[in-house]
Amino acid sequence: MFAIVPVMAQVTTDTGTVTQQTDFAAIFGSFSALVAIIPVIVELIKKVLTKMPSWAIQLLSWLVGILLTMFGWWMHLGFLDGMTWYIALTYGFGASLAANGIADTGLVQWIVGLFGKKTVKAN
């Protein structure tokens, strides 16, 4: 299975300076990309908050998944655009479970489908 990860790019400006940019829109491009970024964010937080017990790391991972998904929903990013809040929240919980290996993305999407269909806005 392939996973989509955010693209890190370095751009050289006219002045010759190099800047790093992250394509945040790619994080919300698909459910799989959201699942893939959760462990990366958790590892970054673990570097700052050392000596966390395993239950706290698990809780942190779930919170990161839910908060990241709800942020994407609030900002109308990627596949979360046009969803109701409770469907986005279900995706957030499912992304957290999938990022921890408890569920796979297909199972989560099937469960979310039981609660309601994603409505797509006409552009």
Side-chain angles (χ1 to χ4, degrees):
M1 179 166 68
F2 294 99
I4 300 171
V5 294
V7 178
M8 307 296 258
Q10 290 187 345
V11 179
T12 304
T13 62
D14 292 337
T15 60
T17 59
V18 176
T19 60
Q20 287 190 342
Q21 297 176 342
T22 303
D23 185 7
F24 290 107
I27 295 172
F28 298 98
S30 70
F31 179 69
S32 298
L34 186 62
V35 170
I37 196 63
I38 292 170
V40 173
I41 294 172
V42 170
E43 288 300 318
L44 290 173
I45 294 171
K46 279 174 45 179
K47 287 182 180 182
V48 175
L49 304 173
T50 58
K51 298 184 182 179
M52 290 178 64
S54 61
W55 66 267
I57 295 170
Q58 186 72 35
L59 182 63
L60 175 68
S61 180
W62 289 344
L63 288 174
V64 165
I66 291 170
L67 292 175
L68 186 63
T69 304
M70 293 311 291
F71 174 77
W73 169 80
W74 177 58
M75 297 299 293
H76 302 285
L77 299 174
F79 76 98
L80 297 169
D81 187 23
M83 285 187 186
T84 56
W85 70 269
Y86 59 89
I87 297 297
L89 183 64
T90 307
Y91 267 112
F93 186 66
S96 298
L97 293 177
N100 289 300
I102 297 172
D104 66 348
T105 57
L107 175 66
V108 170
Q109 289 178 341
W110 177 77
I111 291 171
V112 170
L114 294 176
F115 293 104
K117 298 290 181 190
K118 178 180 126 181
T119 58
V120 178
K121 290 174 141 180
N123 290 332

